[in-house]
């Protein structure tokens, strides 16, 4: 089983601004509490990309969790985008397509993709605009998302729904641009083999970590020091120094980094029984869902 010395959780954001409030990066090493990396004034998505590339230069043995979906549903309809003859065949081709269509969008935004004549048909947009191929209801889900719901591990949302506070589509699509721009510099599980050393990226869902830290279902967010201390104690992790602000982006990242450190050596998380090779390449999987 591969071992890591450091762990990071990146709470991501799909907001169109250059430096969204929703990005938080927490790291934890072999000893001590997790800590936030807090650039001034705030993270941009390009900042995160540059930080990841520095990890490659340092060959740091870090497991990095991104709180986003790394692909769209495919297996339910045998395509990401039915009726579009340029629909990609696997996740990496999907990343490439999104990044290419958005090459002129600043800050790793995805407005051009969502405005594309074919792509837009599959999404529920804001202001009452719904693509004619959006499936209705909660929207299409990946295999792992349906599995999370069926087993009660998480109440996953569809990336094709871009409406509401719980929507994850824009953050996931911007994350796919970042993954493509990494250009293979960091392996991404389960799309790539896990190497013997160096950094590795996985998809995580912070709710899974929060539940493991004792948070109740439906009320998994932590917004004060007492709650953070209680959650980290459940993970046998000391609490960090007082934060400037206890927003759920920061606490999600801190708790999840600690959870990753505790669980990364669990073989079952790297070999989930419900994940086939086809699922791995076309839709990916959420680390921690078994």
């Amino acid at each position: 089983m591969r071992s890591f010395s450091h762990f990071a959780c990146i709470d991501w954001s799909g907001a169109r601004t250059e430096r969204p409030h929703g990005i938080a990066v927490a790291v934890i090493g072999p000893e001590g509490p997790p800590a936030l990396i807090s650039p001034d004034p705030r993270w941009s998505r390009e900042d995160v990309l540059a930080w990841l590339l520095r990890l490659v230069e340092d060959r740091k043995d870090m497991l990095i969790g991104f709180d986003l979906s790394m692909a769209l549903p495919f297996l339910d309809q045998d395509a990401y985008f039915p009726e579009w003859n340029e629909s990609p065949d696997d996740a990496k081709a999907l990343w490439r397509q999104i990044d290419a269509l958005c090459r002129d969008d600043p800050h790793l935004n995805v407005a051009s993709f969502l405005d594309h004549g074919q792509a837009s048909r599959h999404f529920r947009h804001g202001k009452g605009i719904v693509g004619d191929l959006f499936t209705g209801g909660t929207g299409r889900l990946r295999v792992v998302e349906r599995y999370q719901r069926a087993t009660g591990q998480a109440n996953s949302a569809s990336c094709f729904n871009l409406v509401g506070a719980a929507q994850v589509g824009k953050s996931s699509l911007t994350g796919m641009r970042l993954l493509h721009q990494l250009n293979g510099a960091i392996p991404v599980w389960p799309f790539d083999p896990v190497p013997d050393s160096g950094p590795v990226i996985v998809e995580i869902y912070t709710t899974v970590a929060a539940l493991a830290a004792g948070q109740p279902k439906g009320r998994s967010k932590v917004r004060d020091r007492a709650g953070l201390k209680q959650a980290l104690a459940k993970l046998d992790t000391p609490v960090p120094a007082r934060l400037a602000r206890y927003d759920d982006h920061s606490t999600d990242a801190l708790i999840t980094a600690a959870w990753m450190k505790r669980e990364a050596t669990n073989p079952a998380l790297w070999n989930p029984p419900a994940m086939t090779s086809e699922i791995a390449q076309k839709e990916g999987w959420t680390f921690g869902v078994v």
Side-chain angles (χ1 to χ4, degrees), residues 180-195:
H180 178 69
Q181 291 194 19
L182 278 172
N183 195 29
I186 300 179
V188 182
W189 178 90
F191 309 102
D192 300 311
V194 176

Side-chain angles (χ1 to χ4, degrees), residues 144 147-148 151 153-154 205 208 259 268-269 272-273 285-290:
V144 68
Y147 183 79
Q148 288 172 13
T151 57
Q153 295 181 68
Y205 190 17
V208 172
W259 170 82
L269 302 193
W285 197 264
T286 308
F287 185 77
V289 173
V290 293

Side-chain angles (χ1 to χ4, degrees), residues 7-26:
F7 304 84
C9 174
I10 301 172
D11 202 50
W12 196 241
S13 172
R16 293 185 67 169
T17 57
E18 179 182 2
R19 299 184 181 276
H21 287 280
I23 297 179
V25 181

Side-chain angles (χ1 to χ4, degrees), residues 193-212:
V194 176
D196 294 332
S197 63
V200 175
I201 290 173
V202 296
E203 169 188 322
I204 51 89
Y205 190 17
T206 57
T207 299
V208 172
L211 294 177

Side-chain angles (χ1 to χ4, degrees), residues 1-4 7 63 189 194-197 260 262-272 287:
M1 172 58 59
R2 166 72 194 277
S3 63
F4 296 89
F7 304 84
L63 183 62
W189 178 90
V194 176
D196 294 332
S197 63
M260 291 170 63
R262 192 184 74 168
E263 297 296 330
T265 56
N266 183 349
L269 302 193
W270 296 99
N271 300 282
F287 185 77

Side-chain angles (χ1 to χ4, degrees), residues 41-217:
R42 289 191 298 271
W43 286 100
S44 70
R45 284 179 281 265
E46 291 94 335
D47 289 339
V48 175
L49 177 59
W51 179 75
L52 291 170
L53 292 173
R54 288 196 295 273
L55 295 178
V56 177
E57 295 176 1
D58 296 340
R59 295 198 55 79
K60 189 176 286 288
D61 289 323
M62 179 178 282
L63 183 62
I64 306 150
F66 268 87
D67 185 25
L68 52 85
S69 298
M70 292 186 174
L72 297 174
F74 183 101
L75 295 170
D76 61 334
Q77 297 194 32
D78 200 33
Y80 297 117
F81 308 110
E83 299 190 24
W84 186 8
N85 59 10
E86 295 180 8
S87 182
D89 293 328
D90 58 37
K92 290 190 176 182
L94 174 66
W95 303 347
R96 181 170 60 249
Q97 181 186 60
I98 294 169
D99 196 41
L101 289 174
C102 299
R103 64 174 63 89
D104 295 326
D105 290 4
H107 319 314
L108 295 181
N109 281 319
V110 290
S112 295
F113 178 75
L114 294 174
D115 289 341
H116 185 273
Q118 288 296 324
S120 64
R121 300 176 66 193
H122 299 268
F123 290 87
R124 180 186 178 202
H125 306 264
K127 300 180 180 179
I129 301 172
V130 181
D132 65 301
L133 295 179
F134 180 75
T135 58
T138 59
R140 294 170 59 196
L141 295 169
R142 296 182 296 159
V143 171
V144 68
E145 293 158 353
R146 296 198 302 270
Y147 183 79
Q148 288 172 13
R149 282 175 167 246
T151 57
Q153 295 181 68
N155 189 26
S156 305
S158 170
C159 285
F160 285 113
N161 176 30
L162 306 178
V163 179
Q167 70 89 12
V168 296
K170 292 177 183 176
S171 61
S172 296
L173 294 168
T174 59
M176 292 178 210
R177 287 198 68 187
L178 178 142
L179 293 174
H180 178 69
Q181 291 194 19
L182 278 172
N183 195 29
I186 300 179
V188 182
W189 178 90
F191 309 102
D192 300 311
V194 176
D196 294 332
S197 63
V200 175
I201 290 173
V202 296
E203 169 188 322
I204 51 89
Y205 190 17
T206 57
T207 299
V208 172
L211 294 177
Q215 297 303 111
K217 286 186 178 181

